[in-house]
Amino acid sequence: MQKVAGRSYGHVHHCQCGQLLFFDNSVCLRCGAAVAYQPNLGQVKSLEPADTQGLWYIQGEDASTRRSYARCANLNSPAQCNWLVTDTRTGSLCTACALNIIIPDLSQADNASYWQACEGAKRQLIAQLIMLGLPVNNREIDPYRGLGFELLRWQQGEPPVMTGHEDGVITLDIMEADPAHRELLRQQMHEPYRTLLGHFRHESGHYYWDLLVRDTSWLNAFRQLFGDERTDYSTALQQHYQNGPPADWSLHYISNYAASHPWEDWAETWAHYLHMTDTLNAASQFGINAHAIAVHTDPFTRDQLDDRGISESATDNADSFLTMVNDWVRLSSVLNVLARSMGQPDSYPFVLTVASLQKLFLVHQVVG
């Protein structure tokens, strides 16, 4: 990502033959070579068969130091996972697929295609988290603090599937992979933006709040900026759905839903931070200099950052953070114009305020 020196997962890759490759490619369409994503490198790499059947070397690595890899067991499943297995503790599955606790019932109509879409979005999240240097351990490796996913679909006679997070487990209603279903819910919920990747990023924010903020030195700064999370969560959500957000919510929150409770404010802000850094990373890899985009904006400045509860040492990279956010304002403005030119909704239908800037800065510091 933008702020982690030397560590960003790739959006632009090239085969040994020079052909452009993308994040989910498993075969080069020009030369037919096997390719795979190496999550620790953040790159899609060309492969060559290893000395042991079923294992692979990364093309071009020094023969004296290279290691062999298995391809994820989900390569030929509906998940179509193109990752290499880089951690022997995850068995025949890659780091991303090993996070699954429950996968959809593939005997049910359409579940295979829904699972494929969900896994694609989940891999994009996990790749970004790894490159940000965040811990990504499954529930078997770390039973108490590990991350897990339950990908479910409602069945007749069962309780509804609620997308959410609890104790390290992210649950997703895989019907969110159905564009018509998702759009219907987006309109019913009066949301400007609703995507699979957005769901995963939001729910991961709850997980990392538990891991990185709760019971840590960041908690006081969180409460000063986001509010007291000890406010009854169920009551707060009920009031939000019944009465809506405060009339002036847009001055203080990054989204309507963020106004419901400090936990949701954090999760929404976390998701936006991932949106911003990943899209800027992609633009940079394609040679787009967001800083040079010819769009006039009023830049955020150092005096608009709020240092309450944040140590002096934690503000050392404030300038790089401000550069990133101001680049994002320029880039997202252009993305919105391009989307409108194609008759599509805005790619980023949100407005950043000083309050959102301050909260994003805390996320930036916690990610480190």
Side-chain angles (χ1 to χ4, degrees), residues 25-26 34-36 47 54 56 69-73 75 82-85 92:
N25 285 150
S26 58
V35 301
L47 305 177
W56 299 83
Y69 300 92
R71 305 194 71 169
C72 181
L75 172 64
N82 69 329
W83 285 29
L84 295 174
V85 179
S92 62

Side-chain angles (χ1 to χ4, degrees), residues 118-140:
C118 291
E119 289 296 332
K122 194 190 77 179
R123 286 194 295 270
Q124 191 169 344
L125 167 71
I126 301 305
Q128 185 179 18
L129 296 176
I130 291 172
M131 289 297 103
L132 284 171
L134 294 167
V136 182
N137 292 314
N138 64 43
R139 305 287 286 185
E140 290 190 7

Side-chain angles (χ1 to χ4, degrees), residues 162-166 202-203 206 228-241 257-267:
M162 302 297 293
T163 293
H165 166 268
E166 184 174 6
H202 174 97
E203 299 305 336
H206 289 298
D228 192 335
E229 82 288 352
R230 292 169 294 189
T231 301
D232 186 82
Y233 180 72
S234 297
T235 301
L237 284 191
Q238 184 178 12
Q239 291 176 346
H240 175 79
Y241 287 125
Y257 188 54
S260 63
H261 188 274
W263 279 336
E264 297 302 340
D265 193 6
W266 167 271

Side-chain angles (χ1 to χ4, degrees), residues 158-205:
E158 294 183 356
V161 175
M162 302 297 293
T163 293
H165 166 268
E166 184 174 6
D167 295 331
V169 177
I170 292 173
T171 300
L172 182 78
D173 177 3
I174 66 166
M175 285 300 295
E176 291 285 347
D178 182 333
H181 176 84
R182 188 173 64 249
E183 175 61 17
L184 178 62
L185 289 179
R186 188 191 70 78
Q187 293 186 31
Q188 290 176 347
M189 304 291 285
H190 306 290
E191 297 173 340
Y193 172 94
R194 190 182 183 98
T195 67
L196 279 174
L197 182 56
H199 279 308
F200 281 125
R201 284 175 170 164
H202 174 97
E203 299 305 336
S204 76

